[in-house]
Amino acid sequence: MAEANRRSAAVPNDLEAFWVPFTPNRAFKRAPRLIARAKDMHYYTPEGRAVLDGTAGLWCTNAGHNREPIVDAIQRQAAELDYAPAFQFAHPKSFELASRIAALAPADLDRVFFCNSGSEAVDTALKIALAYHNVRGEASRTRLIGRERGYHGVGFGGISVGGIVSNRKHFGTLLAGVDHLPATYNREHQAFTKGEPDWGAHLADDLERLVALHDASTIAAVIVEPMAGSTGVLPPPKGYLERLRAICDRHGILLIFDEVITGFGRLGHAFAAERYGVTPDMITFAKGITSGAVPMGGVIAREGIYDAFMRGPEHVAELFHGYTYSAHPLACAAGLATLDLYRDEKLFERAKKLEPLWADAAMALRSVPGVLDIRTVGLTAGIDLASRPDAFGKRAYEAMERGFHDEGVMIRITGETLALTPPLIVSEAQIGEIFDKVGRVIKAVA
Ligand SMILES: Cc1ncc(COP(=O)(O)O)c(C=O)c1O
């Protein structure tokens, strides 16, 4: 102990040891963007400088930062029950939270499996899909279908069905037996659309081509983000999700909506499934369930999927899957307090009400030099910038840096796209402030 203390005292708190995820480490460590605390719509640097949160953290702090009811719930829970085994035992709040989530989900999406992140949620949903067909005697259904430009986290399942090349190319052969639908974006037909574009529903028909190629008897599930977020905000074309649903129904294929970003109010509804009137067989969620305060993710499955597993000897687990921290007490407490806040402050309705004003404010940047396209849906906007000839992504990267250091606004970037997705508590004045700052930043990096 004494030795450990001596060593830790001797280790300077420098930037070297931490390998920062999804970040260019050398550039970051030369000019770090450090955040020391947060409240409501703002972050604060260690020096106390305020940074307006234009991104709800990583699309997750939907209720705003450090909200008192959530902080209190976590503190009380930590003092009452730190941990209970997640297998063979459970604590009361896990059932309460599952019931609350089931009540928010559409139709008979009533059974909730908990994990700790979006990536785990995706891998869980894919495994449930495979096992579901297996227990029903259709074990030949092993193929999984994702979509180009899709993001489903970083597990091997998620990157296999995902379609972002940088997330896949260094990691070997990935899962076997995966195919992809085409991406739904086409600038020529869709540029500067508010909400769902008119063009593109026919792209769902590509699923029929994949069925013809592989045969439906080999296909377990299709997974898509209803609105593709991480690739740069691609709202679904009008009618696209309906068509996917119809084709899946025709061929006995499960449809999974990855709602890790779209869940909990981002598109003005509890889930995007509700906005689009399309009921998937499973929904994955994470992020907004605790407003980012404690890691949590999960899968909501239709009752019939759960029921298919409820067979065999009653002393044997029906699904051999789970995580040490599934339904962790702190996450459940945070989740319950977060859902209360969403309900009491009507935050999903608020997002819906603000959507037109948000979209107008975003589109006001369309004539700024270097802007190639702007897309909006719910409280989300993607702004594509023209690349410099020799360095794809550099202009957006500089925009993010300048946003933080010079303008005091947090911008998310992916490739050459700026993504803006504020907490749902954002005020009308703050929407104006976000786009004023972003407009100045884009001009500065022209
Ligand atoms: C649609 C979608 N699925 C999965 C994930 C992965 O979530 P996590 O980073 O919590 O593993 C994300 C993260 O942004 C996401 O947007």
Side-chain angles (χ1 to χ4, degrees), residues 117-119 122 151-153 225 230 258 260-261 287:
S117 67
S119 300
V122 166
Y151 184 70
H152 300 291
E225 301 158 87
S230 295
D258 185 348
V260 165
I261 280 179
K287 297 185 188 268

Side-chain angles (χ1 to χ4, degrees), residues 131-138 304-319:
Y132 166 76
H133 290 300
N134 200 305
V135 296
R136 287 166 51 256
E138 283 200 78
I305 292 180
Y306 174 88
D307 289 346
F309 286 89
M310 297 302 126
R311 54 174 78 187
E314 293 210 359
H315 68 285
V316 178
E318 297 95 357
L319 179 67

Side-chain angles (χ1 to χ4, degrees), residues 7-18 29 32 34-36 46:
R7 268 198 291 119
S8 66
V11 174
N13 185 15
D14 69 19
L15 302 174
E16 287 312 310
F18 179 34
K29 288 172 184 181
L34 295 182
I35 295 154

Side-chain angles (χ1 to χ4, degrees), residues 22 58-59 116-122 150-155 223-230 258-262 284 286-287 296-297 412:
F22 269 126
L58 278 177
W59 320 73
N116 310 288
S117 67
S119 300
E120 289 180 358
V122 166
Y151 184 70
H152 300 291
V154 293
I223 181 166
V224 292
E225 301 158 87
M227 180 276 294
S230 295
D258 185 348
E259 297 230 28
V260 165
I261 280 179
T262 53
T284 55
K287 297 185 188 268
M296 177 171 245
R412 173 106 188 97

